Amino acid sequence: MSAVSKPAGTTRKTAKTQLDRQTDRGSFKALWYLVPALVVFAAFLFYPLLRSVFLSFQGSDLFGRPSGFVGFDQYTRLFTDSGFWTVMWVTLAFTVMTVVPSIALALGLALLLHQKIKAVRFFRTAFALPFAYSVATASVIFGVMFNQATGVLNGMLGFFGLDRVGWLTDPAWALLSVSLATVWMQLGYNLLVLSAGLGAVSEDVVEAARLDGAHGWRMQRSIIMPLLTPQLFFLLVTGTIHALQSFGQIHILTKGGPQDSTTTLVYSIYEQAFANNNSNFGYASAQAVVLLIIVVAVSAIQFGVLERKVFYR
C-alpha cells in the first residue's frame, strides 16, 4: 500500500509550529539563566531605588525610622535651603574641574605617545599607572603631598621663597586640591581608552590624508580627532557620572570641609544619613532622588545633543 503524501501547506504549518515550540523553549530556558542576575538587580538596585523614593516622602524619627507620610515636605525643605544650592554649586564646579581637564590632558598625552618616539612603552605605562591605584591609596598619597606642614608642595613653595598654602584647610584651595587629585586618578583610565582608539585608526586613512597634504595640527584636527569622537564621547558620559558620584577622595582628604567648600551632593547625602548619627534618611533620600534625576537628565542631554557630533566608523 502506497503512503499518502500530506499537502504542502499542512507540512509547512507543522514545521512552523515545531519551530515556534523550539523558540518558546529556548526563550523559557534563557529566562531561567537570567534569574540570578534579576535577583541581584532586584536586591541591590531596584529595591534600594524604590526604598529611597518611598523614604523621600516620609519623615524620620531619632532612630531614622519612617515617622509618617509628609508629602513633598522634604523636597520643599530641600529647595528652600540655601545650603542645598551651595552644595549644588560645589557639585557643578567639581564636575567641570575634573571631567574636562582629565579628558583634555589624556588626549594630549595620547596624541604625544602615539608618535614614534623612544621608550614610548615606558611612558605609556608610567602615565597609565594612576589607573592601578585605588581611590583610598591615591587619596592618602595626595593627603601627604598636600600636608601644610610637611607636604612636598609646600616644601617646593618654600624653596622658592613663597608662603605655604593650606591646600586642604583653606576654603579657597580645598576644592581645587581635591579636583587635582581626582584628575590624576582619572588620567590613567582616560589615557588607556584614548590610546586604544588611536591604535584602531586605520593607517590607510592616515596615509591617504598625508598624500592629500594633511600634516601636523591639520592632520590631528581634521582626521584623528573625528575618528576619536566615540572614545571622547564615552569618556565624557562616564566621567560626568563618575564625578557626580565621587565620594572616597572627598571623605579622606577634607570630609566635605573646610566650611563645606568640598561638600558635593553625594557627600551631603552621606552627612544627612550617616555622619554624626544624623539618621535623617527622609531628607537624604530626597537628595538622592534629586541626584538620580540630575544624572539621568545630564546623560540624556549628552546623548541627545553631543552624540550627533560623534563619528562612528
Side-chain angles (χ1 to χ4, degrees):
M1 188 174 67
S2 61
V4 178
S5 61
K6 294 181 180 179
T10 304
T11 303
R12 284 196 296 272
K13 186 176 180 180
T14 303
K16 185 175 183 304
T17 302
Q18 291 177 345
L19 181 62
D20 290 342
R21 288 176 179 171
Q22 290 177 356
T23 303
D24 291 341
R25 283 198 294 269
S27 301
F28 186 72
K29 187 181 293 184
L31 284 175
W32 274 108
Y33 286 123
L34 287 175
V35 166
L38 291 175
V39 170
V40 171
F41 274 110
F44 296 103
L45 183 65
F46 301 136
Y47 174 73
L49 175 62
L50 295 176
R51 182 69 177 173
S52 295
V53 174
F54 169 75
L55 289 176
S56 70
F57 292 101
Q58 298 284 319
S60 301
D61 61 17
L62 292 176
F63 301 100
R65 294 173 299 198
S67 59
F69 181 73
V70 296
F72 288 92
D73 286 357
Q74 302 286 14
Y75 293 95
T76 302
R77 177 189 165 196
L78 189 65
F79 291 117
T80 56
D81 183 2
S82 61
F84 170 73
W85 295 109
T86 302
V87 167
M88 292 297 293
W89 168 249
V90 172
T91 305
L92 173 64
F94 177 77
T95 303
V96 174
M97 291 167 64
T98 54
V99 176
V100 177
S102 64
I103 295 178
L105 284 174
L107 177 61
L109 288 173
L111 291 175
L112 288 174
L113 295 175
H114 193 60
Q115 307 301 317
K116 295 179 180 177
I117 59 176
K118 292 183 179 179
V120 65
R121 290 186 178 178
F122 168 77
F123 288 115
R124 282 178 179 166
T125 304
F127 285 117
L129 197 59
F131 184 52
Y133 282 75
S134 67
V135 172
T137 305
S139 299
V140 170
I141 292 173
F142 273 90
V144 173
M145 291 175 60
F146 286 138
N147 188 285
Q148 188 170 359
T150 59
V152 175
L153 296 179
N154 277 342
M156 294 173 64
L157 291 177
F159 179 79
F160 291 105
L162 300 175
D163 294 334
R164 295 177 180 273
V165 174
W167 298 101
L168 300 175
T169 56
D170 187 339
W173 288 96
L175 184 61
L176 176 63
S177 302
V178 177
S179 299
L180 285 174
T182 306
V183 168
W184 186 84
M185 294 175 202
Q186 282 294 113
L187 189 61
Y189 176 74
N190 292 355
L191 178 61
L192 288 175
V193 172
L194 292 174
S195 295
L198 282 171
V201 173
S202 172
E203 286 295 330
D204 294 338
V205 174
V206 176
E207 190 59 31
R210 285 200 184 99
L211 292 176
D212 287 339
H215 297 283
W217 170 245
R218 185 183 172 192
M219 170 74 81
Q220 306 298 338
R221 180 175 60 84
S222 304
I223 305 298
I224 302 299
M225 291 291 288
L227 295 176
L228 274 182
T229 49
Q231 287 76 24
L232 291 171
F233 178 70
F234 169 77
L235 291 178
L236 179 65
V237 173
T238 56
T240 302
I241 295 174
H242 186 265
L244 290 170
Q245 297 176 340
S246 293
F247 175 80
Q249 62 270 46
I250 298 172
H251 186 61
I252 293 173
L253 291 174
T254 63
K255 297 189 183 305
Q259 300 176 14
D260 295 334
S261 59
T262 59
T263 300
T264 60
L265 188 51
V266 165
Y267 201 79
S268 179
I269 293 170
Y270 163 76
E271 285 185 326
Q272 292 292 334
F274 305 107
N276 303 317
N277 294 321
N278 278 339
S279 301
N280 194 357
F281 294 121
Y283 191 73
S285 296
Q287 288 183 315
V289 172
V290 170
L291 175 63
L292 173 65
I293 293 172
I294 291 174
V295 171
V296 172
V298 171
S299 300
I301 292 171
Q302 288 173 332
F303 274 94
V305 178
L306 298 180
E307 196 181 24
R308 298 174 185 176
K309 307 291 183 183
V310 178
F311 179 76
Y312 292 110
R313 283 166 275 179

